[in-house]
Amino acid sequence: MLDFMAMNTYMRIQIYSKADSKSQQMAQNILQDCKNEIQALENIISTTISTSDIYKLNNSFGSPLQVNSCILELLNYSSKIYKKTEGAFNPALYPIIREWGFTSGDYKIPSQEKIAWLLQYTDFDKISFPSPNTSNNPQIQLPQNMQLDFGAIGKGYAGDKVLELLRQKGITSALLDFGGNIQTLGTKPDGSLWKVGIKNPWDSSVICSVSIDSKAVITSGGYERFFIGDDGKKYIHIFDSKTGYPCENDLESVTIVTPSGSYADALSTSLYVMGKEGAINFWKNNSDFDLILITKDQELLYSDGLKDFVKPLYDSLKVSLINR
């Protein structure tokens, strides 16, 4: 097991190997390789590290810039999710998020005029970039005043890269905890399923558990990062890309369960933006993930693919199964 800080969050990687000293030393080397992989990725996609590709791209003032190939991967993948969610997932919202103070902690409510001006530069479709593997030295050119932030997908993408590395090293059982983003490889060493707790939005307890193998379990909600404005209203860190304002809807949290960390990370944010009915309708039209919704009126809903794997742990909840 290895604990460390990266991507502004506490991370833990657990892998399982034989008990002999040689195997244990190999395991420690593999864990260090995983940490190095994450730190290298952070040094490419961070919005605040001045030497990162994203920082340079965000400050390129519309000039073309050569970037690492993983930026190209993220752009292409993000473009697909942007279209699939009709803009609910949008990595081009960084100027809006920064204006509200969520990047610095200097929170404020911007004027409607400033929000309207910034929204002009958040159309992700306006970014042109080549397909992956078309160039060893890809160049990206952002439209003037547009800036990117892969914070809504970065930890899931990092988890996918780490699991890929672990598979290459012959590891068959592992657990990643990236600031509450859970990703697993295989089952527990004894062959049983991993049991993952979903946080209660109203206190520090666990509201339900879900049993998985080789899946990502990633949650988005507005109960941890928010501020109270001068108007007395609560403003959360998840934004509606159509309005430029923090989301206000009937959800407390959305949890996605699916093999891909990138997909789970992106969808948890997107479906939160959609609200309860929008999230359910999206799931009904897409069969490649499962979801757990917790609403503001203390209702827990989960998709039928999780029927035998979710265990509610909060007595006052109304629990419902969502069927297609």
Side-chain angles (χ1 to χ4, degrees):
M1 183 172 69
L2 184 64
D3 299 326
F4 57 96
M5 289 294 297
M7 296 184 169
N8 297 316
T9 195
Y10 171 82
M11 295 191 169
R12 169 173 288 179
I13 302 175
Q14 294 176 253
I15 63 175
Y16 296 87
S17 61
K18 295 179 182 178
D20 61 272
S21 58
K22 183 178 179 181
S23 297
Q24 290 296 306
Q25 184 57 54
M26 288 179 60
Q28 289 303 312
N29 293 339
I30 291 170
L31 287 169
Q32 187 60 49
D33 289 343
C34 292
K35 179 180 177 180
N36 293 342
E37 179 84 7
I38 293 167
Q39 290 176 331
L41 181 61
E42 181 178 20
N43 287 329
I44 294 168
I45 69 171
S46 169
T47 58
T48 56
I49 296 174
S50 61
T51 54
S52 79
D53 286 25
I54 286 296
Y55 186 93
K56 291 175 182 176
L57 196 58
N58 284 347
N59 292 277
S60 61
F61 305 104
S63 300
L65 187 72
Q66 184 175 316
V67 297
N68 187 282
S69 60
C70 76
I71 300 292
L72 207 55
E73 284 184 12
L74 282 164
L75 283 168
N76 278 275
Y77 190 77
S78 294
S79 179
K80 293 175 185 176
I81 305 299
Y82 177 78
K83 291 179 172 66
K84 189 171 186 173
T85 63
E86 297 181 351
F89 174 74
N90 186 357
L93 282 180
Y94 182 63
I96 294 280
I97 296 168
R98 185 183 58 198
E99 186 65 24
W100 280 83
F102 280 98
T103 60
S104 64
D106 184 19
Y107 301 116
K108 63 181 178 181
I109 303 172
S111 68
Q112 291 184 347
E113 291 78 14
K114 188 59 179 284
I115 292 171
W117 185 83
L118 289 171
L119 280 174
Q120 300 177 84
Y121 308 107
T122 60
D123 184 352
F124 193 82
D125 277 336
K126 290 183 177 178
I127 306 172
S128 59
F129 45 85
S131 299
N133 305 319
T134 57
S135 171
N136 292 325
N137 299 297
Q139 282 198 337
I140 307 298
Q141 184 172 4
L142 293 182
Q144 189 77 23
N145 296 319
M146 185 173 281
Q147 294 183 319
L148 296 172
D149 178 9
F150 289 116
I153 193 175
K155 288 190 292 182
Y157 179 78
D160 289 341
K161 290 295 185 183
V162 167
L163 291 180
E164 183 181 325
L165 175 61
L166 292 176
R167 291 188 188 98
Q168 291 171 358
K169 301 286 187 179
I171 300 299
T172 58
S173 179
L175 174 69
L176 313 182
D177 182 348
F178 291 180
N181 280 25
I182 304 297
Q183 292 183 242
T184 63
L185 177 59
T187 61
K188 290 182 180 180
D190 63 5
S192 63
L193 298 177
W194 303 97
K195 188 173 288 186
V196 179
I198 308 302
K199 188 172 181 180
N200 187 330
W202 302 289
D203 59 39
S204 59
S205 66
V206 175
I207 202 165
C208 71
S209 67
V210 57
S211 297
I212 58 163
D213 69 289
S214 291
K215 294 282 198 314
V217 179
I218 295 180
T219 301
S220 288
Y223 50 86
E224 288 186 330
R225 291 184 60 201
F226 63 88
F227 74 95
I228 305 300
D230 294 336
D231 56 2
K233 288 180 61 176
K234 177 181 175 180
Y235 294 96
I236 68 171
H237 74 289
I238 303 174
F239 281 76
D240 185 333
S241 63
K242 293 182 173 64
T243 66
Y245 279 79
C247 291
E248 293 183 74
N249 59 35
D250 48 6
L251 290 175
E252 285 287 357
S253 72
V254 173
T255 299
I256 302 297
V257 182
T258 194
S260 165
S262 299
Y263 193 41
D265 214 358
L267 281 191
S268 66
T269 301
S270 307
L271 270 61
Y272 186 95
V273 173
M274 294 177 191
K276 174 183 169 182
E277 292 306 319
I280 291 172
N281 289 334
F282 185 90
W283 170 77
K284 287 183 176 180
N285 289 307
N286 294 274
S287 60
D288 52 1
F289 70 96
D290 280 291
L291 81 166
I292 302 168
L293 306 178
I294 300 171
T295 68
K296 284 187 167 63
D297 58 2
Q298 297 198 354
E299 183 179 16
L300 186 152
L301 307 98
Y302 59 96
S303 53
D304 54 14
L306 300 175
K307 182 179 179 181
D308 299 320
F309 303 102
V310 169
K311 181 180 179 181
L313 300 170
Y314 195 67
D315 292 339
S316 64
L317 280 175
K318 176 185 176 183
V319 181
S320 302
L321 186 68
I322 314 167
N323 295 293
R324 292 193 193 278

